[in-house]
Amino acid sequence: MIVQLVVATGNRTGQVIPVSGEKFIIGRAEDCHMRPQSELISRYHCAILVGDKVVVRDLGSTNGVRLNGEKINAEQVLCNGDKLTIAPLEFYLHIEAEASAELPQGGSAASWYPPDANGATYPGGQSTILLNQLKTLNQEVYTESQPSHPLKKIL
């Protein structure tokens, strides 16, 4: 299963972060897979668990985890296109069951982005650029060699 976090806001909008392994930990601790440099992120903030389904689990963080705007209190199943907010960070999820990172038929990524408040399929601003270039970004992610901790200090 291919799971990716796509940065939704900020100066890194559109950056694709591959979720590797069965347990992907986000937090400021040295042994976390993704280590955002924000004091609003707990040392062990949350985990994304990949198996037959993809779930997010808050690890007792101070500032919480939101799924599509709702604070989670227990383990929650993630779906393609969900918006995951981890303290100040916002991501869209790209989840694909197949081994291919190809976009849906016709190259449209609209199927994994929820409609905005006006019913538009794509988020505004730089996210539209992401949607037009997602296939290229995915190819770059999968062709680069992965260091032992590829996501340290990425944010």
Side-chain angles (χ1 to χ4, degrees):
M1 184 173 298
I2 296 169
V3 181
Q4 299 172 321
L5 297 173
V6 181
V7 179
T9 59
N11 62 355
R12 295 187 189 260
T13 297
Q15 182 173 356
V16 177
I17 302 167
V19 174
S20 55
E22 293 178 4
K23 189 173 187 180
F24 186 84
I25 309 234
I26 299 170
R28 291 184 293 115
E30 279 290 319
D31 57 341
C32 291
H33 297 96
M34 186 171 88
R35 296 181 50 219
Q37 299 302 301
S38 170
E39 292 298 317
L40 297 174
I41 302 289
S42 297
R43 286 181 37 82
Y44 295 97
H45 201 95
C46 66
I48 298 175
L49 309 171
V50 180
D52 292 337
K53 54 189 171 182
V54 181
V55 298
V56 63
R57 179 186 303 155
D58 190 326
L59 300 175
S61 66
T62 302
N63 292 307
V65 176
R66 294 184 175 274
L67 179 59
N68 298 320
E70 300 292 323
K71 186 172 180 165
I72 66 167
N73 295 317
E75 197 171 88
Q76 293 289 316
V77 174
L78 299 172
C79 296
N80 196 38
D82 279 346
K83 186 172 188 179
L84 186 64
T85 305
I86 303 168
L89 308 175
E90 293 183 351
F91 303 96
Y92 285 104
L93 279 132
H94 180 208
I95 302 171
E96 202 169 320
E98 299 175 16
S100 169
E102 297 296 317
L103 290 172
Q105 188 70 11
S108 171
S111 63
W112 60 273
Y113 273 90
D116 66 14
N118 299 319
T121 305
Y122 303 114
Q126 294 178 353
S127 294
T128 302
I129 295 168
L130 161 71
L131 294 170
N132 293 331
Q133 299 177 358
L134 184 60
K135 186 173 182 179
T136 302
L137 291 170
N138 282 340
Q139 289 171 347
E140 290 171 7
V141 167
Y142 290 106
T143 57
E144 292 178 5
S145 61
Q146 300 294 322
S148 60
H149 289 293
L151 300 174
K152 287 193 176 196
K153 296 189 177 183
I154 198 166
L155 299 176

